[in-house]
Amino acid sequence: MTIVPRGVGPERPGSALEVLLIFLRLGVTCFGGPIAHIGYFRDEFVVRRRWLNERAYADLVGLCQFLPGPASSQVGFSIGLMRAGYAGGFAAWAGFTLPSALILVLFAYGANALAGPTGAGLLHGLKLVAVAIVAQAVWGMARTLCPDRTRASIAVTAALIVLFAISPLAQIAAIVLGGLAGLWLCRSVQTSDGEHITVPVSHRAGIVALALFLALLFGLPVLACHGAPEGVSLFDAFYRSGALVFGGGHVVLPLLHEAFVTSGWVSDDTFLAGYGAAQAVPGPLFTFAAYLGAVVGQSPHGVAGAAFGLFGIFLPGILVLIGALPFWDTFHSQRAVQATMRGVNAAVVGLLGAALYTPVWTSAVRSAADFGIVLVGFVLLTVWRAPPLVVVGISALGGVVIGQAA
């Protein structure tokens, strides 16, 4: 199947090298976790490059929030896939993932350069730029996806559910309820024809990917319990952690802790040290698997173990995404589904709004000076249309100055 854009996506097919270079830059500048990554992607591919329109991007984010795996990495893989086929999808994943993975492998071997007040100030500045990026994403998406009272109310309700609930399933519940509300209340909204997402994945390839996802999920534990090499048990631990997480990010940490610390493969101090380092690097938090693969007592370990961990933890999310994408456009063309997705899109805006407060705002903004840096970054992004890399540099410098003055 070829890419046939219908109002969404690039005007011409791109190259894998083009995708790699763009995502490599994002991979070294996208600080702040998966919610911030969604903001960075929106600015790059919706606002600046116009590879997707706002509604199609929100649909893609909503789909990836539904699926197991790292949501921001799945969004990036999908964008690369639509731009340059499977090679583009792999290029997007590699560019976005490998910078932080390399840093964490170096950290596993003792490279920890972010010590002292300067390093702490730099990290704090990077947290502040994430606040500005997420705020920009919430503002822009709310204007497009919540233009009426109904959808604005759905967004607020979704935000309240996430803010006040204590269950890790609150995000999924908010999206489901948003979809049900959209199905009930948003049927009369007129829809343009330019909201289709066409991907170069056949239905047969989608079915094969889903079958492989399930075969590995249920087959690897059986092999691990019946005398398979110890590498199978290690791969199963990474694969299972990636397959049972919705939305990605910090939700994967309890699963990894259970798989590696409880089993005795990694000490608790070593695990927590790597987790702290993972907060300091750009890109997806799932690259924590590279650190664990490097330090684990099982074989393989070191650089080979890091590659093993990355492949194992990202594979299930990519497989289930490839399995869902070819059926999405046909499914999405139905009127009831369109109404449901309007509610889902509004709920996604609410989730972003809730995440803007916690953990993004609460973990970063601690003083009036912090707020000033965030405000400058937000104005640069929304009014001056400054590139995110410039805002990252300014915020990082501001964080260093605040750290030295403290």
Side-chain angles (χ1 to χ4, degrees):
M1 183 187 300
T2 57
I3 300 176
V4 185
R6 299 160 63 187
V8 173
E11 296 179 356
R12 56 174 176 78
S15 69
L17 179 60
E18 173 196 30
V19 173
L20 176 64
L21 294 176
I22 294 170
F23 274 94
L24 192 61
R25 177 170 54 81
L26 290 169
V28 298
T29 58
C30 279
F31 292 87
I35 299 299
H37 300 163
I38 290 171
Y40 280 98
F41 290 170
R42 175 187 172 274
D43 184 76
E44 184 72 31
F45 300 110
V46 178
V47 177
R48 294 183 62 235
R49 298 183 182 274
R50 301 186 184 277
W51 286 7
L52 296 167
N53 67 34
E54 194 79 78
R55 287 185 175 84
Y57 181 70
D59 286 351
L60 191 60
V61 171
L63 172 63
C64 293
Q65 290 282 357
F66 269 122
L67 299 176
S72 61
S73 295
Q74 289 170 315
V75 171
F77 182 89
S78 301
I79 293 172
L81 185 69
M82 288 186 283
R83 181 68 177 177
Y86 286 106
F90 177 77
W93 173 83
F96 188 57
T97 303
L98 294 183
S100 58
L102 178 61
I103 295 172
L104 289 174
V105 171
L106 292 175
F107 178 80
Y109 283 97
N112 184 11
L114 297 176
T118 300
L122 176 63
L123 297 181
H124 186 59
L126 296 176
K127 289 183 179 180
L128 294 175
V129 74
V131 180
I133 291 287
V134 176
Q136 181 205 25
V138 172
W139 175 256
M141 294 179 73
R143 293 175 64 184
T144 302
L145 303 175
C146 304
D148 50 53
R149 295 177 180 177
T150 300
R151 282 176 281 182
S153 299
I154 293 173
V156 170
T157 302
L160 292 175
I161 290 173
V162 174
L163 287 171
F164 290 101
I166 59 175
S167 170
L169 299 178
Q171 288 191 1
I172 303 299
I175 292 175
V176 171
L177 291 175
L180 292 174
L183 179 62
W184 180 31
L185 300 172
C186 299
R187 285 179 174 268
S188 61
V189 178
Q190 295 295 321
T191 303
S192 65
D193 294 330
E195 299 183 24
H196 300 277
I197 302 175
T198 304
V199 293
V201 180
S202 67
H203 287 70
R204 178 178 296 180
I207 293 172
V208 170
L210 288 175
L212 183 57
F213 166 78
L214 294 173
L216 290 172
L217 181 61
F218 295 105
L220 286 172
V222 176
L223 291 176
C225 294
H226 289 81
E230 62 180 6
V232 174
S233 298
L234 183 61
F235 187 80
D236 175 51
F238 283 118
Y239 187 89
R240 212 169 350 101
S241 297
L244 300 179
V245 168
F246 288 84
H250 299 273
V251 184
V252 76
L253 294 172
L255 295 173
L256 289 174
H257 189 277
E258 177 70 22
F260 288 87
V261 177
T262 304
S263 66
W265 290 349
V266 173
S267 71
D268 196 51
D269 287 343
T270 301
F271 183 91
L272 291 176
Y275 170 63
Q279 307 304 303
V281 299
L285 187 62
F286 268 44
T287 54
F288 183 39
Y291 169 85
L292 290 175
V295 301
V296 71
Q298 295 284 96
S299 181
H301 46 75
V303 175
F308 207 62
L310 282 178
F311 181 67
I313 202 166
F314 279 100
L315 179 61
I318 298 301
L319 286 176
V320 76
L321 175 66
I322 292 174
L325 280 174
F327 302 98
W328 179 240
D329 195 51
T330 300
F331 183 66
H332 177 258
S333 64
Q334 301 176 27
R335 183 176 178 182
V337 176
Q338 291 177 1
T340 301
M341 286 310 302
R342 292 183 198 110
V344 169
N345 292 341
V348 168
V349 174
L351 296 183
L352 285 171
L356 174 61
Y357 174 70
T358 180
V360 177
W361 181 283
T362 55
S363 66
V365 180
R366 302 193 293 257
S367 66
D370 290 344
F371 177 71
I373 293 176
V374 171
L375 187 61
V376 169
F378 180 77
V379 172
L380 286 174
L381 289 167
T382 57
V383 179
W384 290 90
R385 305 294 183 186
L389 184 59
V390 173
V391 182
V392 168
I394 293 173
S395 298
L397 180 61
V400 171
V401 172
I402 292 175
Q404 293 291 342

